[in-house]
């Protein structure tokens, strides 16, 4: 039996996967990534590049089996960060987050601009956003910034 908190996370994950137009199996992948994040966050583990890379593998194991992408991607009309710069940019993002120099919303937008994965960036970004908000057990899509005014930020 699931608790009401767990059901809220599962429902959020199902809705997120639907927004991203992905397959039902992606719900299980996102729920697993979310549980991974909850365990680390609640044990006091910091958000690190290695954690983010593992989130990408968990969220989209078929498209991100090796973690960060090794080629270009487009974010709307803009190219994501060069693949050779991803590790450094994600390390920098984690550092400014740890220092408290970015709000969770600003961190989410920075993460999306880096776009470190071939697929699953939106889902990983939302895990990171709610981690930084301290709301992994209580996600709400209305809280996620959407500067692009799109249906699946």
């Amino acid at each position: 039996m699931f608790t009401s908190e767990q059901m809220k996370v599962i429902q959020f994950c199902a809705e997120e996967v639907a927004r991203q137009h992905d397959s039902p199996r992606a719900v299980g992948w996102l729920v697993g990534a979310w549980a991974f994040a909850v365990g680390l966050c609640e044990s006091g583990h910091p958000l690190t590049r290695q954690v983010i890379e593992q989130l990408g593998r968990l969220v989209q194991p078929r498209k991100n089996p090796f973690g960060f992408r090794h080629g270009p991607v487009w974010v709307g009309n803009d190219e994501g960060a060069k693949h050779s710069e991803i590790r450094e940019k994600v390390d920098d993002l984690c550092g400014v987050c740890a220092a408290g120099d970015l709000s969770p919303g600003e961190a989410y937008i920075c993460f999306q601009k880096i776009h470190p994965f071939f697929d699953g960036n939106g889902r990983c970004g939302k895990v990171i956003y709610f981690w930084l908000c301290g709301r992994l057990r209580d996600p709400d899509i209305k809280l996620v910034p959407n500067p692009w005014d799109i249906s699946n930020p």
Side-chain angles (χ1 to χ4, degrees), residues 4-49:
S4 60
E5 268 184 355
Q6 291 168 322
M7 286 304 299
K8 183 169 186 171
V9 168
I10 292 167
Q11 181 170 348
F12 178 87
C13 290
E15 291 170 359
E16 180 59 22
V17 167
R19 270 191 299 280
Q20 300 290 331
H21 306 291
D22 208 335
S23 68
R25 86 180 64 169
V27 175
W29 294 338
L30 182 53
V31 168
W34 209 280
F36 168 76
V38 167
L40 289 178
C41 183
E42 290 183 355
S43 72
H45 196 287
L47 185 63
T48 64
R49 174 176 43 89

Side-chain angles (χ1 to χ4, degrees), residues 36-142:
F36 168 76
V38 167
L40 289 178
C41 183
E42 290 183 355
S43 72
H45 196 287
L47 185 63
T48 64
R49 174 176 43 89
Q50 294 82 0
V51 168
I52 292 173
E53 192 165 20
Q54 183 61 18
L55 285 171
R57 287 186 192 103
L58 292 168
V59 163
Q60 192 51 265
R62 291 188 172 170
K63 295 184 181 176
N64 303 324
F66 304 110
F68 296 137
R69 63 182 163 81
H70 293 47
V73 296
W74 291 90
V75 187
N77 294 326
D78 300 318
E79 187 172 2
K82 295 190 182 324
H83 64 89
S84 59
E85 299 172 352
I86 290 172
R87 282 176 171 67
E88 179 182 348
K89 287 183 177 292
V90 173
D91 277 338
D92 290 346
L93 177 61
C94 291
V96 295
C97 287
D101 293 340
L102 286 180
S103 72
E106 292 167 328
Y108 174 77
I109 292 166
C110 288
F111 177 81
Q112 294 308 328
K113 288 179 180 177
I114 297 168
H115 233 65
F117 303 108
F118 282 118
D119 195 18
N121 292 287
R123 284 164 270 175
C124 285
K126 287 173 186 71
V127 173
I128 293 165
Y129 174 79
F130 288 109
W131 176 316
L132 295 172
C133 287
R135 290 187 59 146
L136 280 168
R137 291 187 179 272
D138 187 27
D140 183 342
I141 192 63
K142 293 180 221 130

